[in-house]
Amino acid sequence: MSEPVPPAHRWGSLQKTANLQLGPNGRLRHFLTLEGLPRTILEQILDTAQSLVGVTDRTVKKLPLLRGKTIVNLFFEPSTRTRTTFELAAKRLSADVLTMNISASATKKGETLLDTLRNLEAMHVDMFVVRHADSGAAHFIARHAAPHISVLNAGDGRHAHPTQAMLDMFTIRHHKGEFHRLRVAIVGDILHSRVARSQIHALNILGTGEVRVIAPKTLLPSCPESLGVQVYHNIDEGLRDVDVVIMLRLQRERMGSALLPSGHEYFQLYGLTEDRLSLAQPDVMVMHPGPINRGVEMDSQVADGPHSVILQQVSFGIAVRMAVMSLAMRSSEAIARDLPA
Ligand code: NCD
């Protein structure tokens, strides 16, 4: 049964969402999209994550920041890294966290998303982390949730994946420092990728020198230049002198069959090999949000090679998600205090 969420968002139409996610004090209370957020908020997330990154190396990997809070991960779509790192982040902040196995839940018996939400609210939940195949699902939940509840988007359809983009920004800043000097290329299935959309917004908000997208025409949205990116169809041209390469998986689950190139064909034209990587800067970083399809978007030698920071992205994801959770919870608590008793 389909969920009653709004129709898919288009590129560049989410200003209202950005307003919804800031509380009256201008602080982050939901985290739904990066579009329209001020640079100060992104920098606050990165700086907070920086202060939390060491917790993971401690013998006791815990802080009491969210003690007594209840967080529910609502994953309506499969996930490995995002689900587990959100769960670990909540545990490391001492929250009570549960991850709902949606395939076994009452939505399969015909319950609407709103009814599921109301039932969970009745259990005094403080935060929802939502992944859903429909663009706009997290936004919909944020609009309908009780005022003290924060909603974090863990990926909605093709629309946005803001915590993934922020952990990517954290990884880039960790290695390269300032963004204004950098040339960053995002390669592959831009059209269906919520990660690419959020990364483009993040890179632009943080003042990146040059953001390139490299993809065949069929895997690009219409008018990609309007997003503030340089468009390349030839990977060898697009990779020249870049400091960061972000590879994307072909989102086959979101494609019509007409768009589907064979893995082998795609690799010949757009796969990242050591030879192609040598066109970039000598200290280029190679990134990928995972899951990787080896031999489709990249060679194993590159995925496991000296330029790859792919597993470090996963580790940093915990600190970045801890940062977003603690910032959003702080705002919701302030809002809750101002509510009439
Ligand atoms: C991405 C996603 O689910 O959007 N993965 C992730 O969250 N780590 C990208 C993908 O599935 O290709």
Side-chain angles (χ1 to χ4, degrees), residues 2-8 76 113-114 132-141 144:
S2 67
E3 302 296 332
V5 297
F76 295 87
L113 188 56
L114 266 187
H132 201 289
D134 290 344
S135 302
H139 177 274
F140 176 81
I141 292 177
H144 291 89

Side-chain angles (χ1 to χ4, degrees), residues 186-216:
I186 307 175
V187 187
D189 183 3
I190 313 286
L191 178 64
H192 303 97
S193 174
R194 53 197 177 202
V195 174
R197 277 169 178 67
S198 288
Q199 285 167 338
I200 291 169
H201 289 307
L203 288 164
N204 283 330
I205 294 166
L206 291 167
T208 307
E210 194 180 322
V211 184
R212 300 179 182 178
V213 296
I214 307 174

